[in-house]
Amino acid sequence: MFSRLFDAIGETATTAFSGVVEAIRTAFAGDPETRRKVAFSVAVIALSAKMAKADGIVAPEEVRAFQEIFAIPEAEASNVSRLYNLAKQDVAGYEAYAQRVAGMCGSGENNCAMLEDVLDGLFHIAKADGLIHHKELEFLANVAEIFHIDEAYFERIMARHVHPDGINPYAVLGLPETTPFDEVKKRYRVLAAESHPDRLRARGVPEEFLTIANDRMAALNDAFSVIEKARAAA
């Protein structure tokens, strides 16, 4: 699918990533399902490359983390590499690209689930070298704001990935510690349903990216288990 995209883009892809963005709609106009997958893939490729550059260096661990969530077929490897290298040249312009990505959820939609999937992928890459640099966190927070993801929602996403003092299970579920257990259970079930792999497929998330869904489900399961055991022992 990336070779089709580059055929549509032509030489513009060697000088401007914006050419990639504009070509997705026309290259896959008659195939909306593939268009969603390509748009999602390009979003993560571009933003992960730009984020990796945000702290001044693209670490080998970050490149490997990118490869973990994108099992690229050998025939597509050179095209994906072209996209990644083009995007990582500098951080400039990521805001405009993030705005285009946000448009995949419709104008002004808040807390779009597909954009949470993108942020999860970016966090996965950012933490791959063992430390999320403060400039990377600023990058992620700015992207979340452009995505119309509110502060509370972003804090819940971040709690799954950034926890220097240990994971706070209530933060993972986005609840105060005084929440009655019945409400905790209800929130857990809603979040687990939203994170089911079938839901992600319906949003156009590529199959190989579902490792992120598994990590999210593991975090949700662990958070609920910790709370459940603590409430039972109280």
Side-chain angles (χ1 to χ4, degrees):
M1 62 185 182
F2 288 110
S3 59
R4 282 176 60 190
L5 179 59
F6 271 100
D7 287 343
I9 296 166
E11 292 303 314
T12 60
T14 64
T15 58
F17 201 90
S18 59
V20 179
V21 179
E22 300 304 325
I24 291 174
R25 292 180 182 176
T26 56
F28 302 96
D31 188 354
E33 182 176 352
T34 302
R35 185 174 65 237
R36 284 196 303 271
K37 291 181 179 181
V38 173
F40 183 91
S41 300
V42 169
V44 178
I45 290 169
L47 290 175
S48 63
K50 289 180 179 296
M51 182 194 61
K53 191 67 174 178
D55 62 355
I57 184 171
V58 181
E61 294 88 352
E62 292 173 325
V63 176
R64 284 196 292 272
F66 169 78
Q67 293 168 341
E68 287 172 6
I69 59 175
F70 273 96
I72 306 299
E74 186 174 348
E76 297 278 24
S78 62
N79 284 324
V80 172
S81 179
R82 287 172 66 190
L83 285 171
Y84 191 86
N85 289 331
L86 181 63
K88 79 175 184 180
Q89 290 176 5
D90 56 40
V91 182
Y94 80 87
E95 296 95 341
Y97 186 69
Q99 288 170 355
R100 293 189 179 96
V101 175
M104 291 191 292
C105 272
S107 178
E109 182 174 339
N110 292 328
N111 296 340
C112 171
M114 186 271 290
L115 297 179
E116 178 182 1
D117 302 332
V118 174
L119 278 174
D120 259 338
L122 295 178
F123 268 110
H124 178 78
I125 293 165
K127 67 184 181 182
D129 57 359
L131 175 68
I132 298 184
H133 194 276
H134 70 89
K135 289 186 178 180
E136 291 175 321
L137 278 178
E138 290 175 6
F139 179 100
L140 289 162
N142 287 339
V143 169
E145 184 175 355
I146 294 168
F147 282 179
H148 304 290
I149 287 177
D150 63 44
E151 186 175 351
Y153 195 2
F154 179 69
E155 292 288 339
R156 177 161 59 82
I157 297 170
M158 186 168 62
R160 298 197 293 263
H161 302 279
V162 183
H163 32 74
D165 300 321
I167 293 179
N168 181 336
Y170 290 94
V172 171
L173 298 181
L175 295 170
E177 295 185 11
T178 55
T179 304
F181 185 67
D182 285 347
E183 294 298 318
V184 171
K185 186 184 296 185
K186 185 182 299 183
R187 170 64 71 89
Y188 163 72
R189 288 175 175 172
V190 169
L191 295 177
E194 292 174 351
S195 301
H196 192 279
D198 287 345
R199 290 282 186 93
L200 272 71
R201 290 188 185 97
R203 296 197 288 265
V205 176
E207 196 74 22
E208 64 270 15
F209 200 80
L210 295 180
T211 182
I212 296 300
N214 294 333
D215 290 347
R216 186 189 302 170
M217 281 299 303
L220 294 173
N221 291 339
D222 289 346
F224 179 73
S225 178
V226 168
I227 295 172
E228 185 177 38
K229 289 177 181 178
R231 295 294 179 92

